[in-house]
Amino acid sequence: MNKKLSFGLSFALMTALLSACGGGNDGGSASQTPPASGSNSSATESASAPAAEPSEPVTLSFMHFKSDVTDGIAKIIEQFEAENPNITVDVQPVKYDDYGTLLKTKLASGDIVDVFTLNAGSTTKLYHDGGYLEDLTDLEFMKNFDPGVLAEQATDGRNYIMPLNAGPIAVFYNKKIFADLGLDIPTTYDALMESAQKIKEAGKTPFALGWKDGWTLGMWLSRDFPSNTVLIDGQTDFFDKLETGQAKFADNPAAHTVISHALDLFKFGNKDQLGVDYNGAVDLFAREEAAMMYMGTWPLGDIRKKNPELYESGMGYFPYPFSNDPSLNKLEFNPDASLAVNSNSENKEAAFKFLAFMASKAGGDAWVENTNTLSYVKGASADIAPAVTELQPYFDNGHLYNSQVFITTTIDWNTQFTQYVQKVFFNKATPEDIIKDLDDWVAKNHK
């Protein structure tokens, strides 16, 4: 099956993951080219047995880009350290927008990070090609993941990252605002905009946008654009051709579509969208000052703290309808963070112990409970939050897809597109201008 059209995930696995969804518990890709390093080393020799307990105290460095759930990860680390008293984890949370640059800098300077998070796909391939990733394929704990998930995250047929978590990227909505205005859940893009218009006419803010943080705008753009490119315009090989210089954004109708959609969201967003960050957007939604928020499940813990009533019964969650074809507007379900072991680490034994814990049911349950995202670990809890139960029919019926598998290029087009599209918001450039600028940037930097 064509990987681009397979939608990447095992429907059976995802159905099992969400089969227990009910009440809540307490609870991105940067294409940075890594510096060159030595050759990859293999972990195959230790595949048949779990990692042994280090005989001497070890401090394991762990850098991650999940800074939005720093407190939750701290609780997970506490649990791991309690079970592994000889291992202390030096946790280094980094804001996502800064993560790729900092990781690249650390590796180039010889500042060894033992374990770090990566996004699956082109980012992993770049660090693998740079010689920085330990081969995890045959390690015993990798058996705790569905083979289909491992196949999707493989690089050249081998697994250099361990699946950690995944989740839907969809639209949170305020049930009371929708009910008061007689709004149905929109299943097409035009219906979404019609609902936004009615919300705005009622004197309320349709969308909570925190676009001061570039990743929030980039997260939406990097899903709307490939979805429209492949599923609407039928350009299944656009990103392949972009990589080899055979395609241009100017020849892709989806480039104009996504700019038009971005202008719509900007029109219906809160004031000062580019001055409000992720946390500010979550606050707007939690205070019920905005009717909708496009996001993963990450803010659920904060919303529960700030507005328990909204969390328990006042909010819902629906797939973002990127097109006017309801049959295509399935639920976006993406891998989030995966774990890698530095091939140059001197603490591989402890690193494998750390990954083995994260791959266990206890580790998977801890991740779900403390970060409000789903774990890929077989049998892990799926008890995230009441709002997530509204997505159950999409899992039951296999109406899932992963737009990120469409993006086969290593070119960091998304960062540039995110920066350029902001010019259109303030009439500093036309859509044609920024599309030309994007093609010029690709031609200049990727010959």
Side-chain angles (χ1 to χ4, degrees):
M1 181 181 291
N2 187 330
K3 182 180 179 183
K4 297 175 188 173
L5 298 179
S6 70
F7 300 151
L9 294 169
S10 164
F11 295 155
L13 169 66
M14 293 304 108
T15 299
L17 280 173
L18 276 201
S19 63
C21 270
N25 287 317
D26 288 326
S29 67
S31 297
Q32 299 286 346
T33 303
S37 179
S39 60
N40 291 301
S41 58
S42 174
T44 305
E45 294 178 0
S46 53
S48 60
E53 184 71 33
S55 57
E56 299 294 333
V58 172
T59 296
L60 190 71
S61 58
F62 170 43
M63 194 168 91
H64 68 82
F65 53 65
K66 298 298 296 176
S67 59
D68 53 302
V69 288
T70 298
D71 292 344
I73 289 179
K75 294 178 181 178
I76 299 171
I77 297 303
E78 288 178 6
Q79 184 173 335
F80 169 76
E81 290 179 337
E83 297 181 16
N84 299 273
N86 285 344
I87 305 175
T88 299
V89 183
D90 173 22
V91 186
Q92 303 169 21
V94 179
K95 193 173 181 179
Y96 188 85
D97 285 347
D98 301 325
Y99 184 81
T101 300
L102 183 57
L103 179 60
K104 175 182 175 182
T105 300
K106 279 180 171 286
L107 295 179
S109 67
D111 184 359
I112 300 299
V113 180
D114 297 309
V115 179
F116 47 91
T117 54
L118 284 180
N119 292 122
S122 59
T123 303
T124 294
K125 180 171 175 54
L126 286 167
Y127 281 91
H128 159 260
D129 291 350
Y132 282 95
L133 304 184
E134 187 76 8
D135 189 342
L136 308 175
T137 308
D138 300 315
L139 289 174
E140 186 69 21
F141 56 73
M142 296 295 279
K143 296 179 181 178
N144 293 342
F145 302 97
D146 184 87
V149 173
L150 295 179
E152 184 182 71
Q153 296 201 6
T155 299
D156 299 334
R158 305 291 292 178
N159 287 105
Y160 299 93
I161 56 174
M162 187 192 85
L164 184 58
N165 73 308
I169 308 290
V171 182
F172 288 111
Y173 71 100
N174 185 296
K175 290 184 176 180
K176 185 177 187 305
I177 293 176
F178 268 59
D180 289 347
L181 297 177
L183 301 177
D184 295 324
I185 301 301
T187 57
T188 66
Y189 182 80
D190 284 350
L192 178 66
M193 291 303 110
E194 289 169 4
S195 295
Q197 181 64 42
K198 291 179 180 178
I199 293 167
K200 187 172 183 178
E201 290 173 352
K204 297 185 180 294
T205 300
F207 293 101
L209 304 177
W211 287 353
K212 180 180 180 181
D213 287 331
W215 70 266
T216 57
L217 173 56
M219 175 188 66
W220 166 81
L221 189 154
S222 66
R223 285 162 176 79
D224 191 275
F225 179 67
S227 297
N228 277 282
T229 294
V230 176
L231 302 179
I232 300 299
D233 296 326
Q235 295 200 40
T236 59
D237 57 355
F238 173 76
F239 292 101
D240 290 339
K241 289 183 175 180
L242 185 69
E243 181 79 14
T244 58
Q246 301 177 64
K248 292 185 177 182
F249 287 88
D251 300 325
N252 186 345
H256 284 276
T257 299
V258 73
I259 295 171
S260 175
H261 288 180
L263 286 168
D264 287 338
L265 291 179
F266 188 77
K267 171 186 174 183
F268 290 121
N270 47 277
K271 295 180 180 179
D272 193 24
Q273 298 98 317
L274 298 178
V276 175
D277 62 9
Y278 161 81
N279 291 319
V282 174
D283 286 344
L284 285 170
F285 186 79
R287 293 197 301 264
E288 303 190 61
E289 295 177 14
M292 294 179 282
M293 180 174 63
Y294 175 83
M295 196 62 64
T297 59
W298 320 297
L300 285 168
D302 284 343
I303 293 172
R304 187 178 193 182
K305 292 177 183 177
K306 295 170 181 177
N307 192 335
E309 185 176 350
L310 177 69
Y311 174 90
E312 292 294 343
S313 60
M315 60 187 286
Y317 208 25
F318 65 84
Y320 166 67
F322 66 88
S323 78
N324 284 320
D325 184 345
S327 69
L328 295 178
N329 295 330
K330 299 179 181 181
L331 175 63
E332 176 91 23
F333 195 89
N334 300 153
D336 185 9
S338 296
L339 293 180
V341 173
N342 194 328
S343 59
N344 296 313
S345 170
E346 295 182 355
N347 300 313
K348 290 178 185 176
E349 191 176 273
F352 294 151
K353 193 76 174 179
F354 182 66
L355 265 65
F357 170 77
M358 290 296 194
S360 68
K361 185 179 186 304
D365 288 346
W367 190 265
V368 172
E369 178 179 353
N370 292 291
T371 70
N372 284 115
T373 56
L374 292 172
S375 168
Y376 273 124
V377 176
K378 293 178 182 178
S381 169
D383 191 7
I384 299 180
V388 180
T389 62
E390 294 194 12
L391 301 179
Q392 186 67 50
Y394 292 89
F395 287 88
D396 290 343
N397 297 319
H399 290 167
L400 309 171
Y401 85 112
N402 177 7
S403 67
Q404 303 307 282
V405 301
F406 305 153
I407 305 174
T408 57
T409 179
T410 59
I411 297 172
D412 188 15
W413 59 272
N414 186 42
T415 298
Q416 298 302 315
F417 210 157
T418 300
Q419 294 173 358
Y420 290 156
V421 77
Q422 296 178 37
K423 297 180 181 180
V424 182
F425 296 154
F426 301 105
N427 297 315
K428 293 182 178 180
T430 66
E432 290 74 19
D433 290 335
I434 68 170
I435 291 172
K436 180 181 183 301
D437 288 344
L438 190 56
D439 280 327
D440 289 346
W441 179 85
V442 172
K444 180 180 179 180
N445 291 280
H446 299 277
K447 296 180 179 180

